[in-house]
Amino acid sequence: MKTILSILIGLLLSLQVAGQDTGDVFLGHWTNPETNTSMVVYKDVYDRYQVKQWSLEDGEMYNITDVVVTSKAMTFSRFNSETKTTINSKFYKQGDDDMEEYFTGPTAVPLIIDWIRETPSL
């Protein structure tokens, strides 16, 4: 009886962990039409989240550091070498293919901008 009970408890715990949301909802190619910026969120070979972000106007790559992704939010710092400013961003999913970015930087007021997931064309 103890063995069956142990198996059932183990099964319930594994189902609960498997059913939890992960930060994988942030994976993909995203575009921000307001700032004309694009980014790709992916996992490297060590299963760590990585972010590459660039300007669609001049192709400038931003230096992204301190990437943290949870099931509810993604945060990182972005350094713009041209303006010598650092912006701290926090992203929240809004729907299947959009998210909002709350960021603080040189201004005292946090700003909110929308990102749209790009669907690859076939």
Side-chain angles (χ1 to χ4, degrees), residues 75-93:
T75 62
F76 59 76
S77 297
R78 175 180 71 224
F79 179 73
N80 183 331
S81 58
E82 187 175 304
T83 61
K84 307 286 189 253
T85 57
T86 298
I87 294 175
N88 299 308
S89 297
K90 189 165 195 172
F91 296 84
Y92 295 100
K93 286 288 288 160

Side-chain angles (χ1 to χ4, degrees), residues 38-100:
S38 195
M39 75 175 162
V40 173
V41 180
Y42 63 97
K43 285 186 174 181
D44 64 14
V45 295
Y46 302 106
D47 209 32
R48 294 179 300 207
Y49 289 93
Q50 301 292 326
V51 177
K52 300 293 182 196
Q53 193 175 68
W54 64 94
S55 167
L56 292 172
E57 292 175 4
D58 59 11
E60 177 186 2
M61 295 292 293
Y62 301 115
N63 185 16
I64 305 296
T65 59
D66 306 322
V67 178
V68 176
V69 180
T70 66
S71 62
K72 297 181 182 355
M74 174 175 64
T75 62
F76 59 76
S77 297
R78 175 180 71 224
F79 179 73
N80 183 331
S81 58
E82 187 175 304
T83 61
K84 307 286 189 253
T85 57
T86 298
I87 294 175
N88 299 308
S89 297
K90 189 165 195 172
F91 296 84
Y92 295 100
K93 286 288 288 160
Q94 297 302 307
D96 289 338
D97 292 322
D98 58 332
M99 65 181 171
E100 284 186 341

